[in-house]
Amino acid sequence: MAISTGLAAMGIRALLEQVMILKVGDHRSFDKNLDEFQNAGYLSLLQRDAMRATLDVGHAVMHRAFKPTEEDLKVALDVVEGVLAPIFAHKEAAEKLADRVPPRPPKPKTGKT
């Protein structure tokens, strides 16, 4: 394949940075942005670890001439999808689903007072 895996990794890193800034503002460093993103409820601890690793791939490409493999990119894209889907896709879809679900019927009265 003739794509630059490094360029793709830098794009993934930039995308995640912009999403964090969009949702929690710019706190002037990746670590602080990541802290605030998690504190705001956008990431679980497991997701944070995966996102940190994904961000580190982009950092390593830019600062240490790292060359990620296509498999590395697949993992990074899976992480991105796992982080972004609940923020941008699942919320609206779940709200639409909730609107279509009929309410529970009221509980029958037992006659006891």
Side-chain angles (χ1 to χ4, degrees):
M1 183 175 273
I3 68 162
S4 168
T5 57
L7 183 59
M10 288 187 292
I12 291 168
R13 173 197 171 274
L15 171 65
L16 290 173
E17 178 182 29
Q18 291 304 305
V19 169
M20 288 188 295
I21 290 170
L22 174 69
K23 292 301 184 181
V24 298
D26 190 355
H27 296 274
R28 313 302 288 167
S29 80
F30 269 91
D31 287 331
K32 288 178 184 172
N33 287 344
L34 196 53
D35 287 343
E36 291 302 317
F37 199 61
Q38 183 181 13
N39 290 339
Y42 291 109
L43 295 175
S44 70
L45 183 57
L46 292 173
Q47 288 173 308
R48 180 197 171 98
D49 291 344
M51 189 161 158
R52 175 80 257 171
T54 301
L55 290 167
D56 286 344
V57 171
H59 291 307
V61 168
M62 293 185 346
H63 302 294
R64 297 184 296 280
F66 177 64
K67 293 181 175 70
T69 66
E70 287 184 33
E71 186 60 32
D72 294 334
L73 288 180
K74 288 177 186 177
V75 171
L77 288 171
D78 284 347
V79 170
V80 168
E81 182 180 11
V83 170
L84 299 187
I87 296 169
F88 294 107
H90 296 168
K91 184 177 186 288
E92 185 177 313
E95 288 170 355
K96 287 179 182 178
L97 177 61
D99 289 342
R100 292 184 328 105
V101 173
R104 288 183 179 199
K107 290 185 178 182
K109 295 185 179 185
T110 60
K112 295 180 184 178
T113 46

